[in-house]
């Protein structure tokens, strides 16, 4: 959207974790308000109308009707944690939240570099997006503690990583599948 820019591009205006987005990591989007990319956002337009607030939660109208049903379906990233991520950022402070995002981003990059058999990018991205940092750190510690994996074919390494992430998700009752948007009508 023309004229929409933000200083902080790792955490979106509406609470999506741009730092973990496959579009941003792939260089296709600079993050919310970071320049050219996916800028046709109604929430960005709303921000401009409300004196360029940096985050929706800073608006006196938050949460507004724009948030109704927004989390019901996912795009290429999960939307389910958006409001709880906003709550966590508000609780611990933006800098501490962004530090956690940086740690999650490093974990995602490690999974993609060492355990992706070409078919796991979306699953790894979703798992890192949805699972708490401590669960992800535990999964990485288990993977790092198994040096025999290094000699395994990539497919075996990928299956091991997926299994550990799925176990962590199951313990929390988290689905690692993206939710399709409900049909309108």
């Amino acid at each position: 959207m023309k004229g929409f820019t933000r200083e902080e591009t790792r955490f979106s205006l509406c609470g999506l974790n741009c730092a973990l987005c496959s579009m941003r990591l792939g260089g296709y989007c600079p993050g919310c308000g970071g320049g050219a990319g996916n800028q046709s956002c109604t929430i960005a337009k709303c921000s401009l109308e409300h004196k360029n607030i940096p985050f929706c939660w800073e608006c006196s109208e938050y949460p507004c009707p724009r948030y109704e049903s927004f989390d019901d379906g996912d795009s290429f990233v999960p939307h389910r944690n958006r409001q709880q991520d906003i709550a966590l950022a508000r609780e611990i402070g933006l800098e501490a939240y962004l530090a956690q995002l940086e740690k999650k981003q490093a974990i995602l990059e490690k999974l993609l570099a060492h355990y992706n058999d070409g078919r796991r990018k979306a699953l790894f991205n979703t798992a890192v997006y949805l699972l708490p940092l401590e669960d992800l750190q535990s999964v990485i510690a288990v993977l790092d503690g198994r040096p025999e994996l290094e000699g395994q074919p990539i497919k075996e390494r990928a299956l091991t990583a997926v299994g550990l992430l799925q176990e962590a998700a199951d313990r929390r009752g988290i689905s690692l599948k993206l939710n399709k948007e409900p049909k309108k009508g």
Side-chain angles (χ1 to χ4, degrees):
M1 170 168 297
K2 191 173 185 177
F4 179 69
T5 58
R6 297 177 66 239
E7 287 183 34
E8 183 50 65
T9 60
R10 296 170 289 174
F11 191 44
S12 79
L13 180 67
C14 68
L16 291 172
N17 291 313
C18 293
L20 303 176
C21 174
S22 59
M23 294 294 285
R24 183 171 187 255
L25 293 173
Y28 302 106
C29 179
C32 179
N38 184 9
Q39 300 277 327
S40 61
C41 175
T42 60
I43 294 179
K45 182 179 179 190
C46 183
S47 171
L48 288 172
E49 292 167 359
H50 287 85
K51 299 181 182 160
N52 248 0
I53 58 163
F55 296 99
C56 288
W57 74 74
E58 294 177 352
C59 179
S60 62
E61 297 174 27
Y62 175 81
C64 69
R66 284 180 173 78
Y67 280 79
E68 291 173 16
S69 303
F70 187 85
D71 296 335
D72 292 347
D74 298 322
S75 55
F76 46 86
V77 295
H79 288 214
R80 289 168 263 171
N81 282 11
R82 210 167 41 102
Q83 290 188 327
Q84 75 186 46
D85 288 343
I86 287 172
L88 181 59
R90 290 173 83 177
E91 178 186 330
I92 66 173
L94 184 61
E95 288 307 313
Y97 184 79
L98 293 173
Q100 284 188 9
L101 275 184
E102 295 297 324
K103 290 176 184 175
K104 282 184 151 195
Q105 183 180 356
I107 289 170
L108 178 58
E109 289 171 354
K110 183 172 188 165
L111 288 168
L112 292 172
H114 301 289
Y115 299 95
N116 185 16
D117 62 0
R119 303 178 60 193
R120 310 298 173 176
K121 183 177 179 181
L123 185 127
F124 289 159
N125 184 267
T126 302
V128 172
Y129 214 102
L130 294 175
L131 291 172
L133 178 59
E134 58 271 12
D135 290 0
L136 296 167
Q137 289 170 326
S138 294
V139 166
I140 293 298
V142 170
L143 291 170
D144 287 347
R146 296 184 59 187
E148 72 277 5
L149 284 175
E150 220 160 293
Q152 296 287 327
I154 187 67
K155 186 173 183 175
E156 296 304 316
R157 293 195 316 263
L159 290 172
T160 301
V162 167
L164 291 169
L165 291 167
Q166 189 61 59
E167 287 173 16
D170 290 346
R171 282 192 299 273
R172 298 247 183 209
I174 295 172
S175 170
L176 296 182
K177 294 185 179 187
L178 293 173
N179 294 329
K180 293 183 180 180
E181 286 207 35
K183 299 210 187 249
K184 301 195 188 228

